[in-house]
């Protein structure tokens, strides 16, 4: 096995026995992750520059599949480098196809929340701006991510970066769930579970679910069984944590069941940037993306974001207003850049500065998001959580239609009916025994699931 080289990388594991040790000009030094699409390795060239190498699970012997793969990867390479990890090239001629992209030093959002806690305050605002800026750049190039989730957001030294965009569609996994379920269910839009077209609105839905996870530590439709999550995504309203009013309103719009009711990534970005007074409509797309990129990576002072100047009567919120003022750490969520001027729109300024430096990113001297010791918002007891009649009734209603519980009760009821028929040789008593067995099993399972759900909520 190869020894791990260079500065420590969060989540990097040693190569397995049967893993490749090279990919073209790159030496593979460890595993960054693995999933349904393939395995991601950390690669280094002779100069020590690092890249991410994804060995993809795809058969390119079919000329049509090969052509589609190359087409989608070529589109991904055209994505402007705003808050993304650039795709560098793809190799399709070898025995194991792979895609090489820029390596971003830092933990994934999922790892950060699990190990360091929730993202709050200005750090949450910058995370929302950075990730939706990446989506706007991706969609502008005609690419759909199809698998945006906390594991595909890396908290780099210069701001959040979205990775793995275009790979899902390049692999041809944009089918709906009626054919097979691809992606992470908790972040998949309702149309992914129906025979509907898949496009940018799917990514907007996944973005909203990802930001809700960052702020609350769980997806807005839960993360338990696959079919339970699918049912909630298709039918139930989201359960969101306490959010600033503007962000709360945006998240709810982006989680709409109908994709036509969701705003585009560009519209979401404009509304977020208007919140802190950086842009005003109209604005050219390249300048808008640059503003989002600078907002995501620039240091911000520890004070509340400026309020939005209303241009029309604002609707009354449907939930209590939560103040955004908090006692924040004295250190910025990103490494400060004191020499960077505030963003101004200059007609002669290029949309972005071309990247000429190697893919290697220096090791961070400070974590991208420092541990938060005090929440930015006071704890909010959500409906249906904790002890009390309302929570118990909500858990009871949630557990009552569970398909697994009903199926188990039906099965045991059938067994009881069969046993009754064998014992009495009469249909009537056998049916009565089966019905009683079904009711008893269903009620016992319902009460046990409700009680256990209550204890799980209180942890």
């Amino acid at each position: 096995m190869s020894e791990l080289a260079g500065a420590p990388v969060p989540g990097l594991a040693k190569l397995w026995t049967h893993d490749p040790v090279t990919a073209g000009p790159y030496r593979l030094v460890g595993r960054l992750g693995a999933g349904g699409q393939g395995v991601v390795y950390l690669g280094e060239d002779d100069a020590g520059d690092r890249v991410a190498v994804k060995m993809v699970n795809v058969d390119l012997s079919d000329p049509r599949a090969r052509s589609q793969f190359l087409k989608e990867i070529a589109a991904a390479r055209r994505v402007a480098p705003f808050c993304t990890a650039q795709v560098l090239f793809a190799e399709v001629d070898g025995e194991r196809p792979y895609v090489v992209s820029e390596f971003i030093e830092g933990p994934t959002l999922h790892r950060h929340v699990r190990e360091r806690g929730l993202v709050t305050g200005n750090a949450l605002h910058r995370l929302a701006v950075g990730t939706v800026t990446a989506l706007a750049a991706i969609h502008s190039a005609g690419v759909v991510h199809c698998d945006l989730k906390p594991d595909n957001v890396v908290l780099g030294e210069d701001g959040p970066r979205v990775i793995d965009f275009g790979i899902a569609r390049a692999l041809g996994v944009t089918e709906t769930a009626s054919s097979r379920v691809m992606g992470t269910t908790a972040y998949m839009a309702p149309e992914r579970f129906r025979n509907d077209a898949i496009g940018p609105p799917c990514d907007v839905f996944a973005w909203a679910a990802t930001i809700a996870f960052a702020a609350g530590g769980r997806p807005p439709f839960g993360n338990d069984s696959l079919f339970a999550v699918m049912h909630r995504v298709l039918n139930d309203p989201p359960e969101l944590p306490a959010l600033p009013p503007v962000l709360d309103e945006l998240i709810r719009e982006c989680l709409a069941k109908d994709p036509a009711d969701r705003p585009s990534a560009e519209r979401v970005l404009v509304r977020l940037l208007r919140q802190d007074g950086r842009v005003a409509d109209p604005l050219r797309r390249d300048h808008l993306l640059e503003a989002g990129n600078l907002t995501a990576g620039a240091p911000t002072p520890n004070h509340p974001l400026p309020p939005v100047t209303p241009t029309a009567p604002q609707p009354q919120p449907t939930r209590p207003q939560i103040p955004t003022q908090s006692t924040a750490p004295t250190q910025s969520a990103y490494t400060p850049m004191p020499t960077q001027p505030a963003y101004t729109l200059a007609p002669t300024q290029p949309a972005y500065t071309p990247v000429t430096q190697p893919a290697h990113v220096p090791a961070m001297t400070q974590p991208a998001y420092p541990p938060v010791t005090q929440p930015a918002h006071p704890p909010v007891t959500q409906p249906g959580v904790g002890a009390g009649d309302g929570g118990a009734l909500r858990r009871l209603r949630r557990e009552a239609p569970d398909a697994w519980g009903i199926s188990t009760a039906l099965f045991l009821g059938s067994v009881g009916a069969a046993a009754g028929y064998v014992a009495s040789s009469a249909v009537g008593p056998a049916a009565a025994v089966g019905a009683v067995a079904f009711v008893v099993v269903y009620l016992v399972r319902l009460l046990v699931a409700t009680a256990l759900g209550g204890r799980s909520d209180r942890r």
Side-chain angles (χ1 to χ4, degrees), residues 3-163:
E3 292 298 326
L4 306 184
V9 176
L12 185 67
K14 290 186 177 182
L15 297 176
W16 292 6
T17 303
H18 300 292
D19 281 335
V21 295
T22 60
Y26 299 101
R27 180 172 62 93
L28 305 183
V29 298
R31 278 177 164 240
L32 291 171
Q37 299 176 4
V39 181
V40 184
Y41 301 94
L42 176 64
E44 287 185 350
D45 61 14
D46 293 338
D49 293 330
R50 292 174 169 179
V51 294
V53 179
K54 184 161 194 170
M55 295 284 183
V56 295
N57 297 328
V58 60
D59 181 9
L60 297 181
S61 58
D62 181 1
R64 292 180 59 185
R66 178 189 177 93
S67 175
Q68 178 66 20
F69 184 87
L70 291 174
K71 176 182 176 182
E72 297 297 340
I73 294 299
R77 293 188 64 185
R78 293 195 298 268
V79 172
F82 293 112
C83 302
T84 62
Q86 290 182 276
V87 176
L88 303 178
F89 67 92
E91 173 59 59
V92 298
D93 294 327
E95 181 179 348
R96 300 186 65 179
Y98 61 88
V99 179
V100 178
S101 61
E102 179 186 7
F103 172 68
I104 307 300
E105 188 102 25
T108 65
L109 175 59
H110 184 273
R111 187 182 187 91
H112 171 86
V113 171
R114 185 179 71 243
E115 296 181 355
R116 303 183 190 176
L118 306 180
V119 184
T120 58
N122 283 316
L124 180 65
H125 177 72
R126 289 196 302 276
L127 175 67
V129 170
T131 47
V132 83
T133 298
L135 280 188
I138 291 168
H139 295 167
S140 297
V143 177
V144 181
H145 194 297
C146 292
D147 195 24
L148 181 64
K149 56 187 177 182
D151 278 316
N152 282 335
V153 176
V154 177
L155 306 181
E157 185 178 29
D158 56 351
R161 303 282 198 99
V162 171
I163 63 174

Side-chain angles (χ1 to χ4, degrees), residues 89-433:
F89 67 92
E91 173 59 59
V92 298
D93 294 327
E95 181 179 348
R96 300 186 65 179
Y98 61 88
V99 179
V100 178
S101 61
E102 179 186 7
F103 172 68
I104 307 300
E105 188 102 25
T108 65
L109 175 59
H110 184 273
R111 187 182 187 91
H112 171 86
V113 171
R114 185 179 71 243
E115 296 181 355
R116 303 183 190 176
L118 306 180
V119 184
T120 58
N122 283 316
L124 180 65
H125 177 72
R126 289 196 302 276
L127 175 67
V129 170
T131 47
V132 83
T133 298
L135 280 188
I138 291 168
H139 295 167
S140 297
V143 177
V144 181
H145 194 297
C146 292
D147 195 24
L148 181 64
K149 56 187 177 182
D151 278 316
N152 282 335
V153 176
V154 177
L155 306 181
E157 185 178 29
D158 56 351
R161 303 282 198 99
V162 171
I163 63 174
D164 261 6
F165 52 88
I167 304 298
R169 196 158 71 170
L171 295 179
V173 296
T174 57
E175 299 94 337
T176 58
S178 59
S179 56
R180 55 176 171 161
V181 176
M182 303 297 296
T184 304
T185 312
Y187 303 93
M188 292 168 64
E191 56 267 33
R192 296 289 301 273
F193 306 130
R194 302 189 294 251
N195 292 320
D196 294 341
I198 294 175
C202 293
D203 288 346
V204 172
F205 184 96
W207 170 83
T210 298
I211 300 304
F213 168 85
R218 65 183 297 275
F221 298 99
N223 55 359
D224 45 348
S225 72
L226 182 147
F227 292 106
V229 174
M230 287 176 59
H231 174 80
R232 295 186 202 111
V233 169
L234 289 168
N235 302 288
D236 294 349
E239 293 185 4
L240 298 180
L243 294 167
V246 173
L247 188 57
D248 181 89
E249 180 183 4
L250 265 177
I251 294 295
R252 293 182 185 278
E253 289 182 24
C254 293
L255 292 175
K257 307 300 183 187
D258 187 346
D261 293 335
R262 299 174 208 147
S264 68
E266 283 193 15
R267 287 305 310 166
V268 174
L269 177 57
V270 167
R271 289 169 63 178
L272 286 173
L273 293 179
R274 287 180 63 190
Q275 179 183 2
D276 53 10
R278 284 186 177 268
V279 304
D281 292 330
L283 192 65
R284 279 176 42 183
R285 173 180 291 167
D286 53 354
H287 287 172
L288 176 64
L289 295 177
E290 185 179 7
N293 190 61
L294 292 175
T295 300
T300 55
N302 294 317
H303 58 69
L305 297 171
V308 180
T309 302
T311 56
Q314 300 295 310
Q316 292 296 321
T318 58
R319 59 186 294 167
Q321 296 289 331
I322 305 298
T324 58
Q325 181 80 32
S326 66
T327 303
T330 56
Q331 181 182 7
S332 169
Y334 294 97
T335 303
M337 294 178 287
T339 58
Q340 181 176 1
Y343 176 75
T344 55
L345 298 180
T348 58
Q349 183 179 3
Y352 62 92
T353 304
V355 178
T356 57
Q357 62 183 15
H360 170 67
V361 180
M364 293 166 31
T365 57
Q366 299 292 339
Y369 288 84
V372 178
T373 58
Q374 180 175 350
H377 305 288
V380 175
T381 302
Q382 301 182 17
V385 178
D389 295 339
L393 290 175
R394 182 174 182 84
R395 289 193 300 275
L396 191 64
R397 288 196 299 269
R398 183 179 64 196
E399 296 292 344
D402 181 71
W404 294 108
I406 295 174
S407 300
T408 303
L410 285 173
F411 173 75
L412 294 179
S414 300
V415 173
Y421 182 76
V422 170
S424 65
S425 300
V427 175
V433 171

